[in-house]
Every structure is written in C-alpha cells, then in structure tokens.
Amino acid sequence: MFRNFKTVPYVIFGRGCFNQLDSILSEKRSHPGSFMVFLVDDVFSENRFKDRILLKPEDLQLWVDVEEEPTTEYVDQLTELVRDFSDGLPSGVIGIGGGSTMDLAKALSLMLTNPGSSADYQGWDLIGNPAIYHVGIPTLSGTGAEVSRTTVLCGPDKKLGINSDYTVFDQIVLDPELIADAPADQRIYTGMDCYIHCVESLTGTYLNAFSESYGEKAISLCREVFLDRDPESDDKLMMASYFGGLSIACSQVGVCHALSYGLSFVLGTHHGIGNCLTFDHLKEYYPQGVEEFRQMMDKHGIELPRNSLPAVEEHEIEKMVDVASILEPLWENALGPDWKRIMPREKIKALYQGILG
Ligand code: NAD
Ligand code: ZN
C-alpha cells in the first residue's frame, strides 16, 4: 500500500511575513463572538517580540512553559483552560515557538473537538473528529514539527505522537527573522535534529524518490548552514527543517530517534540534545552521518555534554527499551523487515548502556 499523506495546505515564507498573520487570521474571524487562542512560548513573555503578536480583545493568549517537553497532562490542562474561557470553540489555535510549542498547539486543536484525554490518542490514526483550524509559527528550526502529521507527547506510559491527518497544521508562517535570536547551542541541537532526520531518512529502507528528493535538498542545506556558515543561514535552516520534515513524512526516522524517545521518556532529556547524545554512539549504523555530525558540532564549538546523563537503575533501562521497542516503523525503516532478529531487546539495552556511559 502506498501512503496517501496530507501536507500543510497554506505556507507563507519570507523575512517579515509574520506581519501578515493578522490579515491571514481575519478571514477566519467570521462570526460574532469568534476568538483565537494564541499559545506562545513563555521565553517571549519578557521580550519585544510579544508586542508584535496582535491580539484582539476577545482572544485568549496562553504563555506555555516548555522547560519540560509536552506531556498529555499539560495538553489536557490547556484544553480545560480554553473550555473554561468560553462556552464556544475558538476559531483558531496559533502556536508560536519551537517544536514543543507547535506540538502543544496541534494537540490542543485536536483535543478541543475530541473527547477524553490526549493520552487516549497516542498512536496512529486514533483521532475521530477534525481539529480546530490551527497555525504553526516556528521560532526555532529543525524538528519539522511545522510540517509533520504528529504531535509528540509524553504520556503516562509512553512517549508517542498523536499521528493523524487532522494533526497537520492548516497554515504555517515561516519567517526566518523569528529564529535569528535563538541561543546558539539550542539552534545547533534543534538543527541537528533536522540533520539526523535526513540521515535516517536517506539511509532507511523506506526511501523512495519522493523522500530522497526532499532529504537530499535538506541535507545539503544543513551542510551550507552548519559547515559553510552561509549568511543566509536562517532562511536555509528554515527550509531544511521543512524539507527534512517532508522527507520523513513519506519515509521514517530510524535508530537514533527510537533510542532517543526512550531516553526522553525516562530522563526527560530534550529531543535535540537527546538525539545528539544518541547519534554520537551510532557510528555502526550511520558511519558517514556521525562523522559529519561531529564536524558540524566542532565547527560551531559545541562540546557534547557526553557525561551529563545521570546514573540509571536497571528498571529504568528496561523502561527505555520498552519505549524504544514499540516504535516498530522506525526500526523497520532502519534495519528492514527482519529488524526484530537484527535488533533483539538485549542489543537495544547494550546501545543504551553505551549512551549512558
Ligand atoms: P523547544 O520548542 O523544546 O524549545 C527549546 C528551548 O528553546 C526552550 O527553552 C524554548 O523556550 C527556547 N526557544 C524557542 N525559540 C526560541 C527563540 N527564538 N529564542 C530563544 N529561545 C527560544 O525546542 P525544539 O527543539 O524546537 O523542539 C523540541 C520538541 O519538538 C520536542 O518536544 C520534540 O518531541 C518535538 N518534536 C516534534 C516533532 C513533530 O514532528 N511533531 C518532530 C521532532 C521533534
Ligand atoms: Zn526529531
């Protein structure tokens, strides 16, 4: 079966295009009493940028705390807040921030029209009702969350996305000026997420001409950004993230992402840095990718905090293996249909022991 996947229908790109947000949203403010919910990374709460977010008096702005990556519990709390704010549903949910904030916006837009807890929908195509109109506006580039059909959440017993066609944003606003002030180390960790998406897609067994075309372009943009220090690098990084996301949309990620989900679930390690710490140990699977990744880190003077992960107990490693093992498509993409024989539980555990040091 071929995948019939949905992509974002409306994309605006360019320096300063964020200023068009108000007019884009005005078309959706059709009926009296309609309001928008703006979910904004709270890193901007004390920043000049907040004055550029043009709220109407009827709108609701929620500053979100992404110190911890999104959880199903947090999504359920945000959903309750919006339900308490008004008897009616909002006309739109706008997420402004990095991958975490965009994922929270996607999840909120889904949960406002679907019953129960967001934890009930972690998996593939479990969502029954269309989401509220939702807009993604990245302030960090690399995750591809702006273009993907998932919102990655830590739930009570697993880290797994709500994957569905309804998850995909209706509109994205790609303004390279918004990523210009991200801290240098965060920019690299999130940028390396994109680089790793490309490596895992391009070396995977699910690769086809579609995913290869997007993946090749994205990886070459990553090289221009992270090895050549191109002056247009914010524009290029934003496009790399978008193309990298499209590449994995019709292929998959691989070993690094499967393992990093387990790390993140048990230790709360952030996605970007967790991927980097993991990828560094995967020379056996991605020899050229790991080599080039190290060059990129060196070029930017980023020392991987290799010994930063805490000591873990046996049952915690077992839990990491549980979380990684359920990500079957990732392993199959990386290692082929025979992946269960190639990568038995003991081998996954040994990989974790290497990463944890
Ligand atoms: P993030 O959103 O977690 O943000 C990281 C830090 O950077 C935060 O402290 C945030 O406040 C800060 N920040 C964001 N933009 C900033 C800016 N312009 N200036 C200053 N600080 C800024 O980081 P991320 O790497 O973009 O996202 C990681 C999240 O994305 C994880 O939760 C991961 O699971 C998720 N993810 C989702 C997908 C998807 O397809 N949905 C794919 C990959 C990763
Ligand atoms: Zn990723």
Short mmCIF file of all heavy atoms in Angstrom, two decimals, residues 259-298:
data_model
loop_
_atom_site.label_atom_id
_atom_site.label_comp_id
_atom_site.label_asym_id
_atom_site.label_seq_id
_atom_site.Cartn_x
_atom_site.Cartn_y
_atom_site.Cartn_z
N LEU A 259 15.82 5.32 19.95
CA LEU A 259 16.52 5.29 21.24
C LEU A 259 16.31 6.60 22.01
O LEU A 259 16.14 6.60 23.23
CB LEU A 259 18.02 5.06 21.02
CG LEU A 259 18.40 3.70 20.43
CD1 LEU A 259 19.88 3.68 20.08
CD2 LEU A 259 18.08 2.56 21.42
N SER A 260 16.29 7.70 21.28
CA SER A 260 16.20 8.98 21.98
C SER A 260 14.82 9.17 22.63
O SER A 260 14.69 9.84 23.65
CB SER A 260 16.64 10.10 21.04
OG SER A 260 15.70 11.06 20.90
N TYR A 261 13.79 8.57 22.04
CA TYR A 261 12.46 8.63 22.68
C TYR A 261 12.50 7.96 24.06
O TYR A 261 11.89 8.44 25.02
CB TYR A 261 11.41 7.91 21.81
CG TYR A 261 10.73 8.80 20.80
CD1 TYR A 261 11.42 9.77 20.09
CD2 TYR A 261 9.36 8.68 20.55
CE1 TYR A 261 10.79 10.58 19.15
CE2 TYR A 261 8.72 9.49 19.62
CZ TYR A 261 9.44 10.43 18.93
OH TYR A 261 8.81 11.23 18.02
N GLY A 262 13.20 6.84 24.15
CA GLY A 262 13.30 6.14 25.44
C GLY A 262 14.04 6.98 26.47
O GLY A 262 13.62 7.09 27.64
N LEU A 263 15.13 7.61 26.03
CA LEU A 263 15.90 8.49 26.94
C LEU A 263 15.03 9.61 27.46
O LEU A 263 15.01 9.94 28.64
CB LEU A 263 17.02 9.18 26.16
CG LEU A 263 18.41 8.62 26.07
CD1 LEU A 263 19.33 9.68 25.47
CD2 LEU A 263 18.93 8.18 27.43
N SER A 264 14.30 10.21 26.52
CA SER A 264 13.48 11.36 26.87
C SER A 264 12.34 10.95 27.81
O SER A 264 12.04 11.67 28.77
CB SER A 264 12.96 11.93 25.56
OG SER A 264 11.92 12.77 25.77
N PHE A 265 11.76 9.79 27.57
CA PHE A 265 10.64 9.36 28.43
C PHE A 265 11.11 9.14 29.87
O PHE A 265 10.47 9.59 30.81
CB PHE A 265 10.00 8.07 27.88
CG PHE A 265 8.81 7.64 28.70
CD1 PHE A 265 7.57 8.20 28.49
CD2 PHE A 265 8.95 6.71 29.72
CE1 PHE A 265 6.48 7.85 29.26
CE2 PHE A 265 7.87 6.35 30.51
CZ PHE A 265 6.62 6.92 30.28
N VAL A 266 12.23 8.47 30.01
CA VAL A 266 12.67 8.11 31.37
C VAL A 266 13.41 9.26 32.06
O VAL A 266 13.22 9.50 33.25
CB VAL A 266 13.56 6.83 31.33
CG1 VAL A 266 14.13 6.51 32.71
CG2 VAL A 266 12.74 5.65 30.80
N LEU A 267 14.24 9.98 31.31
CA LEU A 267 15.09 11.00 31.95
C LEU A 267 14.65 12.43 31.65
O LEU A 267 15.21 13.38 32.19
CB LEU A 267 16.54 10.84 31.48
CG LEU A 267 17.21 9.50 31.81
CD1 LEU A 267 18.60 9.44 31.20
CD2 LEU A 267 17.27 9.30 33.33
N GLY A 268 13.66 12.59 30.76
CA GLY A 268 13.22 13.94 30.40
C GLY A 268 14.23 14.66 29.52
O GLY A 268 14.17 15.89 29.38
N THR A 269 15.16 13.92 28.92
CA THR A 269 16.17 14.56 28.06
C THR A 269 15.47 15.21 26.85
O THR A 269 14.64 14.58 26.20
CB THR A 269 17.16 13.48 27.52
OG1 THR A 269 17.48 12.63 28.60
CG2 THR A 269 18.40 14.11 26.94
N HIS A 270 15.83 16.45 26.56
CA HIS A 270 15.18 17.14 25.45
C HIS A 270 15.55 16.50 24.12
O HIS A 270 16.63 15.96 23.96
CB HIS A 270 15.56 18.62 25.46
CG HIS A 270 14.79 19.39 26.50
ND1 HIS A 270 14.39 20.68 26.32
CD2 HIS A 270 14.31 19.03 27.71
CE1 HIS A 270 13.72 21.09 27.39
NE2 HIS A 270 13.67 20.10 28.24
N HIS A 271 14.60 16.63 23.17
CA HIS A 271 14.73 15.90 21.90
C HIS A 271 16.04 16.20 21.18
O HIS A 271 16.76 15.28 20.76
CB HIS A 271 13.53 16.26 21.02
CG HIS A 271 13.45 15.47 19.76
ND1 HIS A 271 13.14 14.13 19.75
CD2 HIS A 271 13.66 15.82 18.47
CE1 HIS A 271 13.15 13.70 18.49
NE2 HIS A 271 13.46 14.71 17.70
N GLY A 272 16.36 17.48 21.01
CA GLY A 272 17.54 17.85 20.24
C GLY A 272 18.81 17.29 20.86
O GLY A 272 19.59 16.59 20.20
N ILE A 273 18.99 17.55 22.12
CA ILE A 273 20.23 17.11 22.78
C ILE A 273 20.24 15.59 22.95
O ILE A 273 21.28 14.94 22.79
CB ILE A 273 20.45 17.87 24.11
CG1 ILE A 273 21.87 17.70 24.57
CG2 ILE A 273 19.49 17.48 25.18
CD1 ILE A 273 22.31 18.71 25.57
N GLY A 274 19.08 15.02 23.22
CA GLY A 274 18.98 13.55 23.36
C GLY A 274 19.37 12.87 22.06
O GLY A 274 20.08 11.86 22.04
N ASN A 275 18.93 13.44 20.94
CA ASN A 275 19.32 12.89 19.64
C ASN A 275 20.82 12.98 19.44
O ASN A 275 21.44 12.04 18.95
CB ASN A 275 18.68 13.70 18.51
CG ASN A 275 17.27 13.25 18.21
OD1 ASN A 275 16.85 12.17 18.61
ND2 ASN A 275 16.55 14.08 17.50
N CYS A 276 21.39 14.14 19.80
CA CYS A 276 22.83 14.31 19.58
C CYS A 276 23.63 13.32 20.42
O CYS A 276 24.57 12.68 19.93
CB CYS A 276 23.25 15.74 19.91
SG CYS A 276 22.65 16.94 18.72
N LEU A 277 23.24 13.18 21.70
CA LEU A 277 23.96 12.25 22.58
C LEU A 277 23.84 10.82 22.05
O LEU A 277 24.78 10.02 22.15
CB LEU A 277 23.40 12.33 24.01
CG LEU A 277 23.74 13.63 24.76
CD1 LEU A 277 22.89 13.76 26.03
CD2 LEU A 277 25.23 13.69 25.11
N THR A 278 22.70 10.50 21.49
CA THR A 278 22.48 9.15 20.98
C THR A 278 23.22 8.93 19.67
O THR A 278 23.94 7.94 19.49
CB THR A 278 20.96 8.93 20.77
OG1 THR A 278 20.29 9.20 21.99
CG2 THR A 278 20.65 7.52 20.31
N PHE A 279 23.06 9.89 18.75
CA PHE A 279 23.64 9.74 17.40
C PHE A 279 25.15 9.55 17.48
O PHE A 279 25.73 8.76 16.72
CB PHE A 279 23.28 11.00 16.59
CG PHE A 279 23.44 10.83 15.11
CD1 PHE A 279 22.73 9.87 14.40
CD2 PHE A 279 24.31 11.67 14.38
CE1 PHE A 279 22.87 9.72 13.03
CE2 PHE A 279 24.45 11.53 13.01
CZ PHE A 279 23.74 10.56 12.33
N ASP A 280 25.77 10.25 18.41
CA ASP A 280 27.22 10.16 18.62
C ASP A 280 27.68 8.71 18.85
O ASP A 280 28.83 8.38 18.61
CB ASP A 280 27.56 11.06 19.83
CG ASP A 280 29.03 11.31 19.97
OD1 ASP A 280 29.66 11.67 18.96
OD2 ASP A 280 29.55 11.13 21.09
N HIS A 281 26.76 7.87 19.31
CA HIS A 281 27.11 6.46 19.59
C HIS A 281 26.73 5.51 18.47
O HIS A 281 26.80 4.30 18.64
CB HIS A 281 26.40 6.00 20.88
CG HIS A 281 27.12 6.43 22.10
ND1 HIS A 281 28.08 5.66 22.72
CD2 HIS A 281 27.06 7.58 22.78
CE1 HIS A 281 28.57 6.32 23.74
NE2 HIS A 281 27.97 7.50 23.80
N LEU A 282 26.25 6.05 17.35
CA LEU A 282 25.67 5.16 16.34
C LEU A 282 26.52 5.04 15.07
O LEU A 282 25.99 4.89 13.98
CB LEU A 282 24.25 5.63 16.00
CG LEU A 282 23.26 5.55 17.17
CD1 LEU A 282 21.87 6.02 16.75
CD2 LEU A 282 23.17 4.12 17.71
N LYS A 283 27.84 5.08 15.26
CA LYS A 283 28.74 5.00 14.09
C LYS A 283 28.54 3.69 13.32
O LYS A 283 28.67 3.66 12.10
CB LYS A 283 30.19 5.12 14.56
CG LYS A 283 30.95 6.03 13.65
CD LYS A 283 32.30 6.43 14.11
CE LYS A 283 32.97 7.01 12.85
NZ LYS A 283 34.31 7.36 13.01
N GLU A 284 28.20 2.65 14.05
CA GLU A 284 27.98 1.35 13.41
C GLU A 284 26.83 1.43 12.38
O GLU A 284 26.86 0.75 11.36
CB GLU A 284 27.63 0.34 14.52
CG GLU A 284 27.44 -1.06 14.04
CD GLU A 284 26.98 -2.00 15.18
OE1 GLU A 284 27.08 -1.62 16.37
OE2 GLU A 284 26.51 -3.10 14.83
N TYR A 285 25.84 2.26 12.68
CA TYR A 285 24.65 2.31 11.81
C TYR A 285 24.72 3.46 10.80
O TYR A 285 24.18 3.35 9.71
CB TYR A 285 23.38 2.44 12.66
CG TYR A 285 23.25 1.28 13.60
CD1 TYR A 285 23.74 1.35 14.91
CD2 TYR A 285 22.73 0.07 13.16
CE1 TYR A 285 23.69 0.28 15.76
CE2 TYR A 285 22.68 -1.03 14.00
CZ TYR A 285 23.16 -0.91 15.31
OH TYR A 285 23.13 -2.01 16.13
N TYR A 286 25.33 4.56 11.21
CA TYR A 286 25.37 5.75 10.34
C TYR A 286 26.80 6.31 10.29
O TYR A 286 27.05 7.43 10.76
CB TYR A 286 24.42 6.83 10.89
CG TYR A 286 22.99 6.35 11.11
CD1 TYR A 286 22.47 6.20 12.40
CD2 TYR A 286 22.18 6.04 10.02
CE1 TYR A 286 21.16 5.75 12.59
CE2 TYR A 286 20.87 5.58 10.21
CZ TYR A 286 20.38 5.45 11.50
OH TYR A 286 19.09 5.00 11.69
N PRO A 287 27.78 5.54 9.71
CA PRO A 287 29.18 5.96 9.82
C PRO A 287 29.46 7.35 9.26
O PRO A 287 30.08 8.18 9.93
CB PRO A 287 29.94 4.87 9.06
CG PRO A 287 28.93 4.06 8.35
CD PRO A 287 27.60 4.27 9.01
N GLN A 288 28.98 7.62 8.03
CA GLN A 288 29.29 8.94 7.44
C GLN A 288 28.53 10.06 8.14
O GLN A 288 29.04 11.15 8.36
CB GLN A 288 28.92 8.96 5.96
CG GLN A 288 29.90 8.17 5.14
CD GLN A 288 29.33 7.77 3.79
OE1 GLN A 288 28.17 8.07 3.48
NE2 GLN A 288 30.13 7.10 3.01
N GLY A 289 27.29 9.75 8.50
CA GLY A 289 26.46 10.75 9.18
C GLY A 289 27.08 11.18 10.50
O GLY A 289 27.15 12.37 10.81
N VAL A 290 27.57 10.21 11.27
CA VAL A 290 28.14 10.54 12.59
C VAL A 290 29.41 11.36 12.42
O VAL A 290 29.65 12.34 13.12
CB VAL A 290 28.39 9.25 13.42
CG1 VAL A 290 29.15 9.57 14.69
CG2 VAL A 290 27.06 8.57 13.74
N GLU A 291 30.20 10.98 11.41
CA GLU A 291 31.44 11.73 11.12
C GLU A 291 31.11 13.21 10.82
O GLU A 291 31.71 14.13 11.38
CB GLU A 291 32.08 11.07 9.88
CG GLU A 291 33.43 11.56 9.50
CD GLU A 291 34.51 10.95 10.39
OE1 GLU A 291 34.27 9.97 11.14
OE2 GLU A 291 35.58 11.50 10.33
N GLU A 292 30.16 13.41 9.94
CA GLU A 292 29.82 14.78 9.51
C GLU A 292 29.16 15.57 10.65
O GLU A 292 29.41 16.76 10.83
CB GLU A 292 28.91 14.73 8.29
CG GLU A 292 28.75 16.07 7.63
CD GLU A 292 28.10 15.97 6.26
OE1 GLU A 292 26.99 15.38 6.16
OE2 GLU A 292 28.69 16.47 5.29
N PHE A 293 28.34 14.87 11.42
CA PHE A 293 27.70 15.49 12.58
C PHE A 293 28.77 16.03 13.53
O PHE A 293 28.69 17.17 14.02
CB PHE A 293 26.82 14.42 13.26
CG PHE A 293 26.55 14.62 14.72
CD1 PHE A 293 25.59 15.52 15.15
CD2 PHE A 293 27.24 13.87 15.68
CE1 PHE A 293 25.34 15.70 16.50
CE2 PHE A 293 26.99 14.04 17.03
CZ PHE A 293 26.04 14.96 17.44
N ARG A 294 29.83 15.23 13.76
CA ARG A 294 30.89 15.69 14.67
C ARG A 294 31.62 16.91 14.09
O ARG A 294 31.97 17.82 14.83
CB ARG A 294 31.88 14.55 14.94
CG ARG A 294 31.25 13.48 15.82
CD ARG A 294 32.25 12.36 16.13
NE ARG A 294 31.61 11.31 16.91
CZ ARG A 294 32.08 10.06 16.98
NH1 ARG A 294 33.17 9.72 16.32
NH2 ARG A 294 31.45 9.16 17.71
N GLN A 295 31.79 16.91 12.77
CA GLN A 295 32.42 18.10 12.14
C GLN A 295 31.57 19.34 12.37
O GLN A 295 32.08 20.43 12.64
CB GLN A 295 32.54 17.90 10.63
CG GLN A 295 33.68 17.04 10.18
CD GLN A 295 33.56 16.76 8.67
OE1 GLN A 295 32.96 17.49 7.92
NE2 GLN A 295 34.14 15.65 8.26
N MET A 296 30.26 19.16 12.25
CA MET A 296 29.35 20.31 12.41
C MET A 296 29.41 20.84 13.84
O MET A 296 29.46 22.04 14.08
CB MET A 296 27.91 19.92 12.05
CG MET A 296 27.72 19.67 10.56
SD MET A 296 26.05 19.10 10.19
CE MET A 296 26.11 19.06 8.40
N MET A 297 29.42 19.91 14.79
CA MET A 297 29.48 20.32 16.20
C MET A 297 30.81 21.04 16.48
O MET A 297 30.83 22.09 17.13
CB MET A 297 29.37 19.10 17.13
CG MET A 297 28.08 18.32 17.01
SD MET A 297 26.64 19.25 17.56
CE MET A 297 26.69 18.96 19.30
N ASP A 298 31.90 20.49 15.93
CA ASP A 298 33.23 21.11 16.13
C ASP A 298 33.26 22.50 15.53
O ASP A 298 33.76 23.44 16.16
CB ASP A 298 34.33 20.28 15.44
CG ASP A 298 34.69 19.06 16.26
OD1 ASP A 298 34.20 18.96 17.40
OD2 ASP A 298 35.43 18.21 15.74
#
